[in-house]
């Protein structure tokens, strides 16, 4: 067990070795974490997690060198306050989650519990990307990284269906002897979800398909289904000889080609029954024998967050000549695959002059159709590209057809690498096109062999070619070189790449991914030791500088011409590593074929020395202690004569096929020892020899690249030679998808780091860039080298037109090794609206989440700023508070009575949405997100809203557009419209109208038939009461996005509504006026009501009257 200081040292070394950011191709020595969702460690070299409707709970164990959980190591990390992070990502999403530090000293694992809604709030069935997860001890420092996948079992379309009767283990074993071949198809967005169909022998009968959700890692996990009865239900006549011929799983449909017809499933997103339904596509004139020789073709592309311009196409080809009654032997269809159209129309009656369609592919990136055609009479093979018009290929080609050479005699198929624009044509040769079929370059020539099928990895960009003899060839997308991984002797097998790029060999009896796997996908584990790619002949080295030389391949003059190609270098050796058995390593940078000169050397390789080759010493070749004379014999050969006739310094029989090398002169390959003093040799540069050459002891040398006594040299794949660094976290995914809206741009900065000195390509950049559809975006680059031979590349991407579409942009390290995890970065640019782009209203107040839960948040005056809506609440209408007319319920509960539902018009309105057809609120399944969301679609779940005092005046409507990691204020040229979703009135908006805004407003309002506002400085005044639900929409034309935002305001503490206020005022006025009038009348009549009142209170007193009479 390692000591704590050693682990601390490892951590420090990792911190200083790697800078923060994304470092690609670093590689891993082993997997450090074993994680599962059931609390038990697994034996898999990768992590497989599954997301259900419940929380995602992950248990992670730290493994020691024996791949067993280590409590001691975990305790050291925990005591130091360290716990791993889990990063979840796909092409558009990146998020990090921290494991909890365990307080228990005897704990074996770290645990994390993530609510589903923290990862995704969606539960609808759709084609979605399978997430890639990375468990790391410290994000950005690449410490102890272990990769894995996370699959959403709730949303993956094919997983929601029953594919037929499940076969038991014994039932399936009985099928082993009857299996003739295997076909595999996988989900375009979740490559771990795959189907394997068994092609049965003619003597057998049935449709059998295996289903996996973890990439065929274990044989027991694969569930086998019998679909025979489902197929029989669509047949009216023949039932015998039924078997799978081919199958394709698209984003939303399953297409199965059987010996008795083509069957298409219903849309997998909308299951109406538990068992899958298949319908038969009719092709007039085609029978069982035609279907058996048929093939399905599909350009795999993930349509997660699908755009309107993204649609799947499937092509079927029949290996037969078209008859006069048939329109074609090739048909294509787009989903839902109800109508199948001919790929190629022809009115010619001469079958020999009509090209046979080997395959046909739809290139959605450039909206074109690509044909691989073969002429029956001339045996010519060519590719033709036609533009698509109304979903159909135009008869006029996009550009002139590309004709392959006559050596391409056995064309088999054509395929796009998934998610890229690299097009491959294969057969007895493999050809690559980087421009959509306009031109091609040959990758390899298999001569008497041919490729029968392919397999691709979307993650590591691997491409596997399976030869008819079982040989497995491999290249990387965009690389102009290939290698041989090995050979399988199984009679029935196929290969398959899972989501992380691990290659699996599949047979009916066994699934094999190899042993000693690393923490990322690789293509070599199931083949064991890398094969020797050397040709079986001697080499003659020729120095051209101290660091570079040529190695000439010797072809004896007596070798028959028909097998001379076996002793020539080919493109197979390009980019590989030459290793001399004694010592010395060099990288092959070029392969050359020679027509005539030099004689005896039909090919050569240009190599760059990494470690100098070891020369022969005096013990191995005693002749080195002698002087030598070199003279042209006049018959192609040169005669080498030793000057000293000392037997101790003579030629030996083992010197045959060794090379005499003299600095500054031609090298000479010894072909024959005539006697101990004389030998015959071939010169590598015969034209430079003008006279007899004499060299003294010590001035000439001997190299042994011969085959006498065993071949002294080998050629293998060179180790990964480049790192790719991107400083931000944008390229955590190797297949990134980015959206460009109108007027937007994207900038990236990359650093390409050669792992060894002397690998520089200066002054040629080490990376090339390919844009699939240059008409859609404008791409500018700027690159430079630093003093350490690192290459820095700045990429600027901007949209060109107001046109929707997508294009791929590939950064390809053309000098990269096939041993790297990847040699390219794939970026898909969508000229469209990002599903992550939203417009949000910023409230004028900040209420903490905890107060929203409690429903209480008071201001300085004690006014509660949160309103909890009544059950089954509906806002008032223009007819009064008690007469709601809206269909929207808020805080819905079907088990409770509906208030304000006395009037007939109120009873006719009001419809539940999420709570429809349920009996209580709990059955509405309202999530926490829906309870606080302002969207009218979630009004049933809405419980609490912002509360304001009456009146609401000059409320600022502040809008911002959020797009992934940045945000911008909504201001001109953006303009908005605003409505109240419940048709309420008593509100108004105030905005500024500069001259440019006024012109746009005058132009747009007649078209939109609604007022248009300037979002900058927009203010809202509300003179009504209770709930107002506003919807703000962005005016189209300045963005691909139809952005909307909703917000709600509850106005409370409102004075009595009309007409009460007026009635009180009028009554008060009448009473006051009456009192004043009565007082006036009393005064006029000299009536004093107060005196009378006083008398009444005091009673009636008696008065004495005195009368005086004057005389």
């Amino acid at each position: 067990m390692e000591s704590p200081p050693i682990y601390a040292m490892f951590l420090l070394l990792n911190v200083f070795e790697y800078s923060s950011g994304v470092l690609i191709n670093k590689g891993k020595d082993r997997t450090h974490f074993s994680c599962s969702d059931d609390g038990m460690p697994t034996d898999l070299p990768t992590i497989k997690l599954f997301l259900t409707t419940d929380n995602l709970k992950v248990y992670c164990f730290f493994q020691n060198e024996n791949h067993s959980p280590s409590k001691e190591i975990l305790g050291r990390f925990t005591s130091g306050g360290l716990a791993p992070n889990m990063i979840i990502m796909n092409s558009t999403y990146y998020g990090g989650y921290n494991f909890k530090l365990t307080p228990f000293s005897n704990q074996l694992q770290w645990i994390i519990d993530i609510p589903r809604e923290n990862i995704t709030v969606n539960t609808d069935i759709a084609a979605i990307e399978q997430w890639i997860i990375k468990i790391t001890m410290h994000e950005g420092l690449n410490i102890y990284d272990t990769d894995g996948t996370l699959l959403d079992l709730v949303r993956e379309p094919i997983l929601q269906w029953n594919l037929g009767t499940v076969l038991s283990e014994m039932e399936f074993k009985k099928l082993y002897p009857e299996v003739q071949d295997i076909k595999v198809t996988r989900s375009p967005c979740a490559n771990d979800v795959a189907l394997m169909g068994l092609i049965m022998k003619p003597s057998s009968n049935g449709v059998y398909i295996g289903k996996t959700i973890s990439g065929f890692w274990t044989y027991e996990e694969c569930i086998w289904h019998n679909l025979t009865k489902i197929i029989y239900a669509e047949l009216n006549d023949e039932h015998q000889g039924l078997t799978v011929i081919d199958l394709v799983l698209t984003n939303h449909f399953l297409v199965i080609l059987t010996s008795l017809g083509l069957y298409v499933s219903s849309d997998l997103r909308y299951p109406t029954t538990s068992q899958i339904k298949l319908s038969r596509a009719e092709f007039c004139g085609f029978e069982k024998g035609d279907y058996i020789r048929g093939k399905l073709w599909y350009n795999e592309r993930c349509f997660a967050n699908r755009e309107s311009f993204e649609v799947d196409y499937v092509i079927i080809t029949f290996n037969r000549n078209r008859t006069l009654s048939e329109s074609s032997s090739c048909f294509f269809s787009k989903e839902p695959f109800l109508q199948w159209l001919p790929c190629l129309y022809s009115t010619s009656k001469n079958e020999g002059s009509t090209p046979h369609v080997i395959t046909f592919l739809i290139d959605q990136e450039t909206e074109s159709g690509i044909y691989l055609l073969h002429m029956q009479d001339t045996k010519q093979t060519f590719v033709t590209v036609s533009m698509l018009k109304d979903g159909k290929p135009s008869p006029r080609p996009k550009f002139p057809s590309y004709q392959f050479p006559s050596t391409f005699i056995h064309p088999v198929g054509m395929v796009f690498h998934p998610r890229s624009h690299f097009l491959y044509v294969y057969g007895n040769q493999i050809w690559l096109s980087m421009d959509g079929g306009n031109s091609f370059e040959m990758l390899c020539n298999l001569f008497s062999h041919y490729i029968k099928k392919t397999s691709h990895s979307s993650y590591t960009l691997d491409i596997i070619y399976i030869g008819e003899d079982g040989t497995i060839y491999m290249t990387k997308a965009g690389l102009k070189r290939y290698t041989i991984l090995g050979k399988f002797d199984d009679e029935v097998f196929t290969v398959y790449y899972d989501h992380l790029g691990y290659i699996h060999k599949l047979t009916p009896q066994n699934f094999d991914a190899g042993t000693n796997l690393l923490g990322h996908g690789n293509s070599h584990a199931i083949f064991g030791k890398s094969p020797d790619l050397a040709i079986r002949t001697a080499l003659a080295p020729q120095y051209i500088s101290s660091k570079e030389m040529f190695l000439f391949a010797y072809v004896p003059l007596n070798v028959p011409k028909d097998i001379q190609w076996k002793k020539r270098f080919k493109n197979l050796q390009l980019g590989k590593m030459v290793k001399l058995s004694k010592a010395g390593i060099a990288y092959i940078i070029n392969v050359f074929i020679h027509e005539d000169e030099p004689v005896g050397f039909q090919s050569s390789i240009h190599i760059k020395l990494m470690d100098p080759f070891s020369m022969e010493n005096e013990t191995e070749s005693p002749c080195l202690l002698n002087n030598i004379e070199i003279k042209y014999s006049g018959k192609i050969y040169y005669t080498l004569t030793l000057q000293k006739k000392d037997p101790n310094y003579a030629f030996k029989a083992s010197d045959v096929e060794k090379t005499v090398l003299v600095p500054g002169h031609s090298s000479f390959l010894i072909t024959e020892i005539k006697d101990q003093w004389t030998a015959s040799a071939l010169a590598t540069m015969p034209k430079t020899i003008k006279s007899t050459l004499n060299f003294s002891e010590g001035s000439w040398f001997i190299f042994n690249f011969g085959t006498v006594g065993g071949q002294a040299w080998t050629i293998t794949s060179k180790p990964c030679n480049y790192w790719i660094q991107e400083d931000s976290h944008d390229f955590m995914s190797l297949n990134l998808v980015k959206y460009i809206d109108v007027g937007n741009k994207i900038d990236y900065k990359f650093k390409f780091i050669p792992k060894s000195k002397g690998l520089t390509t200066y002054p040629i950049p080490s990376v090339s860039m390919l844009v699939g559809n240059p008409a859609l975006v404008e791409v500018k680059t700027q690159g430079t080298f630093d003093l350490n031979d690192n290459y820095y590349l700045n990429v600027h991407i901007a949209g060109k037109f107001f046109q929707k579409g997508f294009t791929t942009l590939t950064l390809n390290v053309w000098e990269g090794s096939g041993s790297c995890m990847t040699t390219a970065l794939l970026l898909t640019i969508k000229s469209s609206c990002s599903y992550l782009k939203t417009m949000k209203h910023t409230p004028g107040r900040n209420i903490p989440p905890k107060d929203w839960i409690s429903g209480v948040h008071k201001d300085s005056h004690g006014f509660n700023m949160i309103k909890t809506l009544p059950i089954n609440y509906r806002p008032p209408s223009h007819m009064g508070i008690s007469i709601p007319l809206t269909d929207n319920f808020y805080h819905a509960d079907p088990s409770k009575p509906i208030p304000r539902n006395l009037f007939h018009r109120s009873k006719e309105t009001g419809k539940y949405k999420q709570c429809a057809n349920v009996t209580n609120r709990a059955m509405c399944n309202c999530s926490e997100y829906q309870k606080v969301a302002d969207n009218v679609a979630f009004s049933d779940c809405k419980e609490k809203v912002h509360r304001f005092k009456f009146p609401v005046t000059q409320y600022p409507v502040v809008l911002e557009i959020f797009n992934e990691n940045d945000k911008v204020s909504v201001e001109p040229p953006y303009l908005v419209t605003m409505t109240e979703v419940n048709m309420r009135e008593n509100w108004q908006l105030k905005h500024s109208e500069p001259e440019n805004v006024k012109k746009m407003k005058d132009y747009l309002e007649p078209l939109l038939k609604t007022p248009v506002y300037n979002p900058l400085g927009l203010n809202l005044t509300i003179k009504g009461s209770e709930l107002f639900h506003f919807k703000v929409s962005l005016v189209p034309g300045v963005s691909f996005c139809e952005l909307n935002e909703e917000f709600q305001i509850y106005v409370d503490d409102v004075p009595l509504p009309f007409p009460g206020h007026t009635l009180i005022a009028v009554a008060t006025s009448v009473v006051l006026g009456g009192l004043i009038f009565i007082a006036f009348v009393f005064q006029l009549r000299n009536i004093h009501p107060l005196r009378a009142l006083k008398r009444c209170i005091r009673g009636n007193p008696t008065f004495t009257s005195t009368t005086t009479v004057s005389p």
Side-chain angles (χ1 to χ4, degrees), residues 386-595:
S386 297
M387 295 300 295
L388 294 182
K389 186 176 181 180
D390 298 328
K392 300 177 182 178
S394 170
R396 178 177 296 180
K398 183 178 180 179
F399 30 69
S401 300
Y402 181 87
Q403 184 173 326
F404 296 100
S406 58
T407 55
F408 192 30
I409 58 175
H410 191 172
V412 174
M414 178 172 61
V415 63
F416 273 106
H417 181 73
R419 306 193 187 191
S420 75
H421 205 240
F422 297 115
L423 179 65
Y424 292 87
V425 173
Y426 58 91
N428 66 304
Q429 297 172 349
I430 301 176
W431 294 79
L432 166 65
S433 175
M434 297 188 179
D435 52 13
N438 184 28
S439 62
F440 286 84
E441 294 184 55
M442 188 170 69
L443 291 187
C444 73
N445 189 345
L446 304 182
F447 299 97
S448 59
H449 299 290
Y450 66 91
I451 302 299
K452 64 178 182 178
K453 52 186 173 181
T454 66
S455 182
H456 304 253
S457 169
S458 302
Y459 185 67
T460 62
L461 306 186
D462 284 5
I463 305 173
I464 286 290
Y465 298 95
I466 306 175
E468 95 291 351
D469 62 344
T471 303
I472 308 298
Y473 306 86
M474 192 274 284
T475 185
K476 295 277 187 178
L479 280 188
K480 298 178 182 179
R481 57 182 71 101
Y482 72 102
T483 189
I484 295 177
L485 297 181
K487 185 176 182 179
F488 292 136
D489 296 325
D490 302 78
E491 183 178 351
V492 177
F493 79 92
T494 191
V495 294
Y496 151 83
Y497 276 105
D498 67 11
H499 200 73
L500 276 182
Y502 288 96
I503 186 173
H504 302 253
K505 183 183 72 170
L506 308 179
T507 67
Q509 301 90 350
N510 184 42
F511 302 157
D512 183 16
T515 57
N516 299 321
L517 297 172
L518 306 179
H520 59 80
N522 67 88
S523 301
H524 308 281
I526 58 177
F527 298 98
K529 184 180 178 181
S530 299
D532 183 7
L533 305 178
I535 55 179
R536 299 299 172 242
T537 190
L539 302 182
Q542 175 68 62
Y543 270 97
I544 57 174
S545 73
S546 60
K547 292 293 184 180
E548 297 181 45
M549 68 163 50
F550 278 86
L551 293 177
F552 290 83
Y554 172 53
V555 181
L557 302 183
N558 59 351
V559 173
K561 286 188 176 182
D562 58 339
I563 62 171
Q564 288 181 0
W565 61 271
K566 295 182 179 181
K567 295 185 178 295
R568 288 197 295 262
F569 286 117
K570 311 170 192 65
N571 203 40
L572 172 64
Q573 282 80 33
L574 183 61
K576 305 303 186 298
M577 178 176 68
V578 181
K579 185 175 182 180
L580 190 61
S581 57
K582 290 183 61 177
I585 294 175
Y587 293 164
I588 303 173
I589 56 180
N590 273 311
V591 175
F592 296 97
I593 302 298
H594 311 298
E595 295 295 335

Side-chain angles (χ1 to χ4, degrees), residues 30 59 70 141 173 229 241 319 327 401 598 740 784 868 939 1085:
R30 61 183 180 91
Y59 304 83
S70 175
L141 294 181
K173 284 184 176 180
K229 291 184 178 179
N319 188 18
S327 59
S401 300
I740 288 188
T784 182
T868 300
S939 65
R1085 299 295 183 182

Side-chain angles (χ1 to χ4, degrees), residues 750 763 765 767 780-786 790-795:
F750 300 95
V767 60
K780 295 181 179 179
T781 60
Q782 183 180 8
T784 182
F785 285 91
D786 65 10
N790 301 320
Y791 184 70
Y792 296 83
L793 180 67
N794 297 335
V795 181

Side-chain angles (χ1 to χ4, degrees), residues 618 621-627 644 648-649 697-698 700:
E618 294 83 356
S621 295
C623 59
L624 285 168
L625 299 177
N626 211 323
N627 302 329
K644 300 178 183 178
N648 295 321
Y649 309 136
E697 171 192 349
W700 60 284

